[in-house]
Amino acid sequence: MSGPVRYGEGAGLDGEGATGGAGSYQEGAAGGAGLYGEDAAGGAGSYQEGVAGGAGLYGEDAAGGAEGVPGGPGDGPGAGVLCVRFRLSREPDAPDLLPALLATAEGLTPLVQALPPDTALADVRGARRYFGRDVAELAALVRVRTLALHGVVCAIGVGPTPLIARMAAREARFGTTVTVTEDGLADYLDRKPVIALPGVGPATARTLCSYGLDSAGRVAAAPLGTLQRILGARAGRELRARAHGIDPTPVTPDALSRALSAHRAFDRDELDRDRRRRALLSLTEELGARLRAEEQVCASLQLTVRYADRSTTVRSRALPEPTAHTRALTAAAYGLHEALGLQRARVRGLVLRAEGLRPAAGAAHQLSLDPEDDKAHRLEAAADRARRRFGAGAVVPGTLAA
């Protein structure tokens, strides 16, 4: 029987076939066309989930197997975190559907964490028992509800931890689910390139590769002391934990209300450093204006860089003091960008997220004797007044206007 990929359940990694010839990203079984081109045993159906035997949840066949598993339940030991990646419009005037999509996921579990601009984490371990369904059926329900209620297609990664669920979601095609169980975790990570691990950028990857640590499996097998000598005590310890799939981070609900984010997508692979810096400047201008309009300040910035191969790098930096000042936000964003060392990286998009929001009235501000700092604040206040009166594009930095 041809079957979809499930790591550790008879399927190979990155192109190696499973029993019957299914490859690593093949999402269905033989017998007929399913959703988005994946085959499903038993016939075609827009919500058929790659299983055969009888009618199940929302029209998908349920008996005999579940998505990601040939002839077995779409569940596994410890699998219980979903990473849902929504296909949202990138147009500037497109409606913000993420809050509504989060509310849809909250219909299954209260443990839903927003990862703007287009992703969410959901811990469904409690929902499995409450609804009496396995993880694959819950993932199918999320896909069907978001499509039926909001017209949004999503890709879902399932894993035992948020880290693994995120990695699986990056591999999933829209309309499909990729599941990684604890039993198949070692095989899944073994031959992953080291840069696929969250938190490993091009510069860190080059350093590790120069020591022969070019895969997650080799990093996991390396002594902790070796990694700490190469990267430092904390970074080495955290990298080794990720290479073993360890992620103690919980799924934190209501994260959307404590952060603001903005993103820029490039029309083509962007190699030019100056164009990326211009995009960052426009992001900090937007975030700063939004923070000041809501009378909020942020304590840290998080930069997410999306590459042409759909991988991402995420970096965060705490600000010297909570602020909504565009000048300080821009300096922090430039610092994050420069630290990545993206000399030849093919960048497709940037996401800047202001975190740790709190009321501006209760934030402390370090007094400065620099007259330029006071002048910049006055100019910023005047620009905000002009934008409120004449529109968001009334006042822009000269670099963006050129």
Side-chain angles (χ1 to χ4, degrees), residues 16 36 91 102 140-141 156 158 242 253 284 317 340 370 380 391:
E16 297 182 7
Y36 293 93
E91 296 299 325
L102 294 176
L141 183 55
I156 301 180
V158 180
R242 294 190 193 105
T284 55
R317 175 170 294 187
L340 291 174
D370 184 3
E380 195 171 70

Side-chain angles (χ1 to χ4, degrees), residues 291-346:
L291 287 169
R292 294 189 296 274
E294 298 179 13
E295 298 183 349
Q296 300 270 332
V297 293
C298 69
S300 63
L301 284 183
Q302 181 188 87
L303 174 64
T304 301
V305 182
R306 302 184 186 276
Y307 303 104
D309 62 356
R310 292 169 48 185
S311 64
T312 60
T313 299
V314 181
R315 291 290 187 273
S316 298
R317 175 170 294 187
L319 299 171
E321 63 181 21
T323 184
H325 185 25
T326 299
R327 189 175 182 181
L329 297 177
T330 303
Y334 283 171
L336 287 167
H337 178 257
E338 295 302 324
L340 291 174
L342 304 176
Q343 285 86 356
R344 297 186 179 182
R346 297 183 298 151

Side-chain angles (χ1 to χ4, degrees), residues 30-69:
L35 181 62
Y36 293 93
E38 63 269 27
D39 294 334
S46 60
Y47 295 134
Q48 192 167 347
E49 294 300 327
V51 294
L57 186 63
Y58 281 83
E60 64 268 30
D61 294 338
E67 179 171 328
V69 190

Side-chain angles (χ1 to χ4, degrees), residues 143-290:
R143 289 214 312 267
V144 170
R145 285 186 174 181
T146 56
L147 185 60
L149 298 177
H150 308 288
V152 175
V153 181
C154 63
I156 301 180
V158 180
T161 65
L163 180 144
I164 299 302
R166 288 186 186 186
M167 294 178 66
R170 287 202 297 266
E171 298 176 4
R173 293 180 290 119
F174 284 109
T176 65
T177 299
V178 172
T179 301
V180 182
T181 66
E182 284 189 358
D183 292 340
L185 182 58
D187 291 337
Y188 174 76
L189 290 172
D190 187 44
R191 283 173 288 173
K192 286 286 181 187
V194 68
I195 199 169
L197 294 174
V200 177
T204 302
R206 284 194 298 270
T207 300
L208 292 169
C209 288
S210 68
Y211 289 91
L213 302 173
D214 56 355
S215 69
R218 292 184 175 181
V219 170
L224 176 59
T226 300
L227 297 175
Q228 290 180 326
R229 284 193 294 272
I230 295 173
L231 301 176
R234 179 179 177 181
R237 183 173 62 253
E238 291 178 349
L239 177 63
R240 192 167 189 269
R242 294 190 193 105
H244 282 94
I246 299 172
D247 180 14
T249 306
V251 177
T252 307
D254 300 326
L256 188 63
S257 62
R258 298 195 298 269
L260 289 176
S261 67
H263 70 277
R264 296 290 182 272
F266 299 111
D267 295 333
R268 55 184 174 81
D269 299 347
E270 190 55 72
L271 300 172
D272 191 289
R273 170 180 173 271
D274 292 337
R275 290 181 182 273
R276 295 197 297 264
R277 284 173 62 92
R278 287 186 62 182
L280 286 173
L281 177 58
S282 70
L283 289 172
T284 55
E285 283 284 328
E286 177 182 337
L287 285 179
R290 290 169 60 186

